[in-house]
Amino acid sequence: MKIKLRNKTGMIKERKVGFSWTTLFFGFFPALFRGDWKWAVIIFLVSILTSGASSFVFCFIYNRLHINDLLTQGYGPATKKAQAVLISKGFIAENYAANAVG
């Protein structure tokens, strides 16, 4: 399931919520292509230390980590559907500012 996130300048990013098949198969490259340098480096280093076995762990958590980072950078739900998904998955509280969706 994909959601749209928008920042204060109007930039919209569409991100997948849940399991990351691309991280499972390609390791740190999805983070790198998204411009998520922090997690690209972390996944790369941990992958080296674990001989690639960490990709199995990161495929379950990377999308959540990335969306949390976007939310801290000022992104919020761009649609009511995105807001409902973020609430149901525990990213934001139910009393999240309703006027953030627009």
Side-chain angles (χ1 to χ4, degrees), residues 56-67:
F56 185 70
V57 174
F58 279 111
C59 66
F60 287 99
I61 63 172
Y62 174 67
N63 284 338
R64 175 172 282 280
L65 296 169
H66 183 60
I67 290 172

Side-chain angles (χ1 to χ4, degrees), residues 13-66:
K13 292 189 177 191
E14 187 174 29
R15 295 296 182 245
K16 186 174 181 295
V17 178
F19 188 83
S20 176
W21 287 100
T22 54
T23 302
L24 176 64
F25 292 119
F26 303 112
F28 71 96
F29 285 108
L32 189 66
F33 293 143
R34 288 179 177 179
D36 189 2
W37 300 103
K38 175 180 85 172
W39 285 109
V41 169
I42 291 170
I43 294 170
F44 177 74
L45 293 175
V46 174
S47 180
I48 288 174
L49 293 172
T50 63
S51 301
S54 63
S55 289
F56 185 70
V57 174
F58 279 111
C59 66
F60 287 99
I61 63 172
Y62 174 67
N63 284 338
R64 175 172 282 280
L65 296 169
H66 183 60

